[in-house]
Amino acid sequence: MKVRSIMATLDVLFMFVTGILLWQPLHTPWELFRIIQPLHIFGSLVVTLFFLFPFLFEHIRSSVTFHTKSTSGILFGLTLLVLLVSGIYLLFFGNTRTTAGLMMHTLHLYGSFFLVGLLLWHIRKIFLPHTYAAATLLLLLPWPLHAGEKMSNIELEKGVSRYHVGDWTNSTTCKECHPEIFKQWANSNHRHMADGNPYYMVLENLAEMDRGVEFRQWCMGCHNPSAVTTKHERTTHFMDENIMPDPLFVKDSLNLQKTFKERPYRLEQGVSCVGCHSITKATSKGNSSFSLGLAKRKRYLFEGENSKVKRWITNRLINANPQTHKEEYMRPLYKKSELCASCHDEFLPHSGREVVTTFKQWQHSPYNDPKHPKKHKECIDCHMTYMQDGKFAPLTGRSTTGGALKKDIKVHYFAGGNHFLSGLKSKENESQSLQLLRTSAKLDASVKNDKLLIGVTNTGAGHKLPTGAADFRQLWLDVTLTDTNGKTLVSSGKLDEHGNLQKGSVIFNKVFGDKEGNPVGLFFWRYEKLLSDTRIPAGKRVEHSFSIPKNATYPLHLTLHLRYRIYPQWVTDIVKAAYPALTDPPAVSIAELEKDFE
């Protein structure tokens, strides 16, 4: 009997340990997880049905025969039964976030701790040394260790520890009253910050491979806040034989609208409408340093419900008395650059080193001048103002169907550096970004002492040119200087047949290095040393010179372009290995100059 008791104890510990290793906070490596999971499920079923239950039956019958009674033994048997039932439920029905699913998951998880505690208490007199040994083993389990690194700075309302999918109102519901703004957003990069951006998906996966699954949260805080706040540990999307899913090419987020009709409670990824319009506070600290107010915001009758009739009633109620809706979703904060700073400044959680400082650059630029309103410009004055014929042309119209006429509707194209991905879905979105890029710089050129002098002035960007993850941005001079006979005297900044930039080209960027001074490449979170920074600060001019042969035959002809590409070819090649449907981003000209020198 003692041998069988020892075996029963070991069996329970086997079920407990294998079950705990499946617990999400432990982040067991997938290669180990995929083996432990079937061992736990099917091993536990076999052990329980064919060994533990027969053993317990004999044990109980023996106890009755000898008139012994043990409360811990009775509770142990009942708890084991609960764990068996809840385990079978989870196997066949899953933890679907329904009330029953959550209840069964909770019973199964915490019931296992209770079961082991009862077991150790029950056998304490018979196997006291074994009890202490088992307790020691439990203490030595690989509990998650936290180094104090805070991956995301998102704060929820007081008393709220997490959101549920239903708290994140799907952006499709905003379309009825804000159709034009929805369309602008639907094709923008803010919409496609996560699963619709193949570059991001590759980097988030690399982040886990290099620093562990928790490091994904650092990326997701800004790129996928809905997933972070609903306790998802990674960004996922639909894949079809490793082909990039629909969001890469589908216009107007038709796939989101279709999914909403079929599965209204499927979590929307990227930066949704409420992803920005539920922010109640933001700081310039960066790394998603904002507070959300989703759960406790004022809701109209049926607001958040997904049946067509209830949504229709909600929209009529909002239209009848829109003031509360406006107050909940349009705060003065949304016009301030601090809102953008909460994500567009970025630092490494493990070292504090600054990776992106777009807001700080703006703070020290001539555009941050609140004492002179005509000179002062917030982020939205450039990035959310409509452009026409290469100039800012504030859009007059109505942001809401039937709403008041406004002289300057802040558009939601989110024009900026990444014209490429939005351009795969909408040429209008791409045009807005390209027009903005072409306001950012001017070129000048002169010849002196057998030198071609080329100047580049940052005339329009309120930050360094380029900004963002500038080691993934290419801004360079494409120079061709010929003599009177058409002979090429200077050639720089050309692309080869594979799309790679010619070595020695004049490029404006920053390059991160590791401790040894080697460029970190895609692994920019390994940044320890800044190897170079040739970007152009706001309002500043830089100059580069090229040697001209002394025997050059004048007049000389200069063809000059300031070219820009959102990602270098080497980065795109890596991403295309995972997403073959991706096309190459073009190298566009954002400033040109042709000039003759006598």
Side-chain angles (χ1 to χ4, degrees):
M1 189 68 176
K2 187 173 181 179
V3 174
R4 294 185 66 191
S5 296
I6 293 173
M7 291 298 297
T9 303
L10 293 175
D11 289 335
V12 172
L13 291 176
F14 161 80
M15 291 188 291
F16 177 74
V17 172
T18 55
I20 289 301
L21 287 173
L22 302 179
W23 195 18
Q24 191 176 32
L26 284 179
H27 302 302
T28 298
W30 174 249
E31 290 304 317
L32 187 59
F33 184 99
R34 63 193 293 269
I35 297 171
I36 294 173
Q37 187 184 33
L39 277 177
H40 173 73
I41 294 173
F42 299 110
S44 297
L45 280 173
V46 171
V47 167
T48 302
L49 294 175
F50 296 101
F51 179 77
L52 279 182
F53 274 176
F55 168 77
L56 288 177
F57 178 77
E58 289 294 329
H59 189 59
I60 293 170
R61 189 172 68 173
S62 175
S63 299
V64 171
T65 302
F66 292 100
H67 303 287
T68 58
K69 182 180 179 181
S70 171
T71 303
S72 61
I74 294 171
L75 289 174
F76 176 87
L78 292 174
T79 304
L80 184 64
L81 181 62
V82 168
L83 289 176
L84 178 66
V85 171
S86 59
I88 291 174
Y89 180 94
L90 292 172
L91 175 62
F92 287 100
F93 299 101
N95 180 9
T96 56
R97 296 297 173 188
T98 61
T99 301
L102 287 170
M103 183 180 70
M104 290 298 179
H105 178 263
T106 302
L107 283 173
H108 199 73
L109 174 61
Y110 295 104
S112 63
F113 288 96
F114 189 57
L115 183 76
V116 171
L118 287 171
L119 173 66
L120 297 179
W121 181 254
H122 185 65
I123 65 174
R124 68 192 185 283
K125 294 180 180 179
I126 305 173
F127 306 114
L128 192 59
H130 303 294
T131 303
Y132 288 133
T136 303
L137 283 173
L138 291 178
L139 291 174
L140 293 176
L141 277 173
W143 299 103
L145 300 176
H146 300 282
E149 298 172 4
K150 191 174 183 182
M151 298 299 165
S152 170
N153 292 310
I154 299 176
E155 294 183 357
L156 312 186
E157 300 103 306
K158 186 176 181 180
V160 177
S161 61
R162 64 171 295 173
Y163 289 138
H164 295 279
V165 174
D167 294 321
W168 284 93
T169 303
N170 191 290
S171 297
T172 299
T173 63
C174 306
K175 180 175 179 286
E176 180 177 339
C177 296
H178 308 281
E180 186 57 35
I181 286 179
F182 175 87
K183 182 179 179 180
Q184 296 165 7
W185 164 86
N187 297 312
S188 74
N189 291 313
H190 272 200
R191 156 73 181 109
H192 299 281
M193 290 282 282
D195 62 329
N197 184 331
Y199 294 87
Y200 170 76
M201 292 299 293
V202 166
L203 282 169
E204 189 189 306
N205 289 332
L206 283 178
E208 177 181 352
M209 291 168 60
D210 194 49
R211 293 191 60 88
V213 68
E214 286 188 357
F215 198 64
R216 287 179 180 265
Q217 303 294 302
W218 178 59
C219 311
M220 293 166 62
C222 288
H223 282 261
N224 202 357
S226 59
V228 170
T229 59
T230 50
K231 303 299 182 184
H232 286 69
E233 66 177 13
R234 54 170 52 86
T235 298
T236 57
H237 59 54
F238 293 112
M239 294 288 288
D240 181 13
E241 296 180 350
N242 214 31
I243 300 300
M244 188 65 199
D246 286 345
L248 188 60
F249 301 105
V250 173
K251 290 186 64 173
D252 304 337
S253 288
L254 293 175
N255 53 334
L256 176 67
Q257 298 177 55
K258 179 183 177 182
T259 300
F260 179 68
K261 290 180 181 178
E262 297 172 350
R263 300 176 63 185
Y265 287 104
R266 181 174 178 81
L267 190 66
E268 174 185 358
Q269 298 192 46
V271 180
S272 64
C273 295
V274 297
C276 285
H277 287 273
S278 66
I279 293 178
T280 57
K281 184 175 69 175
T283 73
S284 58
K285 182 180 178 181
N287 287 20
S288 62
S289 57
F290 53 81
S291 302
L292 291 171
L294 282 176
K296 297 182 179 179
R297 68 184 187 270
K298 296 177 181 176
R299 296 174 182 259
Y300 290 74
L301 181 66
F302 299 139
E303 186 176 353
E305 299 288 337
N306 288 318
S307 77
K308 290 183 179 180
V309 174
K310 290 180 178 179
R311 289 206 309 273
W312 183 88
I313 294 173
T314 299
N315 288 338
R316 302 291 79 73
L317 294 173
I318 292 174
N319 288 338
N321 185 11
Q323 188 59 31
T324 299
H325 184 75
K326 183 177 179 180
E327 290 172 356
E328 287 291 312
Y329 292 98
M330 265 307 300
R331 295 177 171 86
L333 168 66
Y334 301 162
K335 297 181 180 180
K336 299 295 183 181
S337 297
E338 285 77 8
L339 177 68
C340 308
S342 62
C343 274
H344 288 275
D345 272 9
E346 184 180 329
F347 61 90
L348 298 176
H350 48 279
S351 68
R353 296 186 185 279
E354 294 178 328
V355 177
V356 177
T357 57
T358 303
F359 175 77
K360 290 183 176 66
Q361 295 163 22
W362 169 82
Q363 280 185 307
H364 296 96
S365 78
Y367 298 99
N368 180 23
D369 193 359
K371 293 182 179 179
H372 300 89
K374 290 186 178 180
K375 296 181 179 179
H376 183 76
K377 286 188 178 182
E378 301 284 349
C379 297
I380 65 171
D381 293 325
C382 290
H383 294 278
M384 294 185 70
T385 298
Y386 189 71
M387 300 207 69
Q388 188 171 11
D389 300 325
K391 297 179 180 179
F392 292 104
L395 193 64
T396 300
R398 293 175 172 83
S399 58
T400 304
T401 302
L405 190 67
K406 299 178 182 178
K407 292 185 178 180
D408 183 9
I409 296 175
K410 290 305 172 188
V411 293
H412 288 61
Y413 299 104
F414 300 108
N418 196 343
H419 64 91
F420 167 59
L421 290 177
S422 61
L424 295 177
K425 293 168 279 292
S426 166
K427 291 304 175 185
E428 175 65 10
N429 283 58
E430 183 178 41
S431 173
Q432 288 294 307
S433 286
L434 288 174
Q435 289 184 70
L436 182 62
L437 280 167
R438 286 168 179 150
T439 67
S440 63
K442 288 186 178 179
L443 298 168
D444 63 83
S446 62
V447 171
K448 186 177 182 180
N449 299 329
D450 295 323
K451 296 284 185 183
L452 171 64
L453 305 177
I454 295 176
V456 186
T457 305
N458 181 345
T459 56
H463 42 70
K464 287 185 177 182
L465 188 65
T467 189
D471 45 338
F472 296 155
R473 306 282 184 261
Q474 280 190 321
L475 182 71
W476 74 95
L477 291 175
D478 181 348
V479 186
T480 304
L481 183 69
T482 57
D483 65 9
T484 190
N485 299 314
K487 180 182 177 181
T488 300
L489 304 176
V490 176
S491 178
S492 178
K494 310 303 180 185
L495 298 176
D496 65 20
E497 66 273 18
H498 302 295
N500 296 305
L501 184 60
Q502 175 185 356
K503 289 184 178 180
S505 301
V506 176
I507 187 168
F508 307 98
N509 70 343
K510 62 181 177 184
V511 179
F512 292 143
D514 59 19
K515 291 180 180 179
E516 286 73 39
N518 302 309
V520 296
L522 286 180
F523 298 87
F524 63 92
W525 47 84
R526 295 180 181 177
Y527 162 45
E528 293 287 342
K529 297 178 181 179
L530 185 61
L531 303 184
S532 66
D533 188 353
T534 57
R535 297 171 298 164
I536 311 169
K540 301 296 182 180
R541 177 184 178 274
V542 297
E543 186 175 88
H544 288 270
S545 65
F546 298 84
S547 297
I548 302 174
K550 291 184 180 295
N551 60 351
T553 306
Y554 284 72
L556 309 180
H557 181 74
L558 172 67
T559 302
L560 178 62
H561 293 271
L562 181 63
R563 296 204 184 274
Y564 173 78
R565 184 162 57 176
I566 184 62
Y567 299 108
Q569 190 63 45
W570 66 269
V571 174
T572 297
D573 289 344
I574 291 172
V575 175
K576 286 176 70 174
Y579 301 98
L582 180 67
T583 56
D584 291 339
V588 297
S589 178
I590 65 172
E592 303 89 20
L593 178 66
E594 280 206 50
K595 192 172 182 178
D596 291 317
F597 301 99
E598 299 295 336

